[in-house]
Amino acid sequence: MNTTDPLAPSGAQETSDSPDSTLPPRFEISADGKEVTDNKTGRIWRRCPEGMTVTPNGCTGMATGYTWDQAIAMAKHEAMSTGIAWRLPFANELASIVDLNVRNPSINQEAFPMKWPTHAAHFWSIEPAKDNSSFSWGVSFYNGKVDYYQRGDDGRVRLVRTGPNAVPIDATGAVENSPYP
């Protein structure tokens, strides 16, 4: 079976016989390898968690831990300094990239390469918990669980922005009538 090397920028083709090296059609990696467009939802994601760097071999370095307030400040700073509308995702947006067919991590590693212990940590969403101001929602990519976490805990950050073809995502992360699984 011929597949595209998922770590190569879009347009760069390399073949492999491994079934594990396939990038689902719903994901497109940018030419510089730093962003992933999710064709199912229309969201554009940073490929690596904040603190890590994209290389031809995946994401290197360690993902930075942020409290919830630090994560919000970092996202705002990144948007202001780059002029790109980066932000913390909503919990349903994070849930939309969970892949429950795999675990540890529960995310497509070709689109979003992560190394241990990054995926064991939760990733922050912008949403505070409604009943307790000490908590906010996030997703653990260890098992794909959406849950709330103490705002003072060190969570990880995967920035997102809304692309021109964005569609609504329900509370579970699902998209209606999508041609992509």
Side-chain angles (χ1 to χ4, degrees):
M1 160 165 67
N2 287 338
T3 59
T4 302
D5 175 3
L7 295 176
S10 295
Q13 299 289 314
E14 186 174 304
T15 60
S16 168
D17 291 328
S18 170
D20 296 328
S21 64
T22 58
L23 183 66
R26 77 176 269 191
F27 296 121
E28 289 181 32
I29 299 170
S30 66
D32 63 7
K34 294 180 181 179
E35 298 176 358
V36 176
T37 298
D38 183 348
N39 292 312
K40 183 175 182 176
T41 65
R43 303 316 188 268
I44 301 168
W45 297 89
R46 283 266 180 96
R47 193 160 180 220
C48 295
E50 294 306 300
M52 298 183 85
T53 305
V54 173
T55 69
N57 297 319
C59 297
T60 61
M62 290 293 291
T64 305
Y66 298 92
T67 66
W68 187 70
D69 289 331
Q70 290 170 336
I72 290 172
M74 186 279 305
K76 287 179 182 178
H77 177 268
E78 194 64 19
M80 295 292 290
S81 66
T82 64
I84 299 172
W86 293 114
R87 59 180 172 77
L88 284 183
F90 289 96
N92 64 338
E93 290 175 317
L94 280 169
S96 75
I97 59 172
V98 166
D99 183 350
L100 293 176
N101 294 313
V102 293
R103 184 180 163 123
N104 191 19
S106 295
I107 192 169
N108 183 283
Q109 287 263 41
E110 307 306 326
F112 304 101
M114 290 198 297
K115 296 194 181 218
W116 184 262
T118 301
H119 48 273
H122 62 278
F123 282 71
W124 288 119
S125 85
I126 190 68
E127 296 172 88
K130 291 185 178 170
D131 296 336
N132 189 330
S133 63
S134 298
F135 291 84
S136 291
W137 289 98
V139 171
S140 167
F141 286 102
Y142 173 77
N143 58 8
K145 184 178 180 182
V146 178
D147 207 346
Y148 56 88
Y149 300 90
Q150 286 191 340
R151 290 184 182 186
D153 289 351
D154 273 350
R156 304 303 180 260
V157 173
R158 184 176 304 280
L159 295 178
V160 69
R161 59 191 168 101
T162 305
N165 299 317
V167 297
I169 302 171
D170 74 15
T172 67
V175 174
E176 287 188 27
N177 304 319
S178 175
Y180 301 98

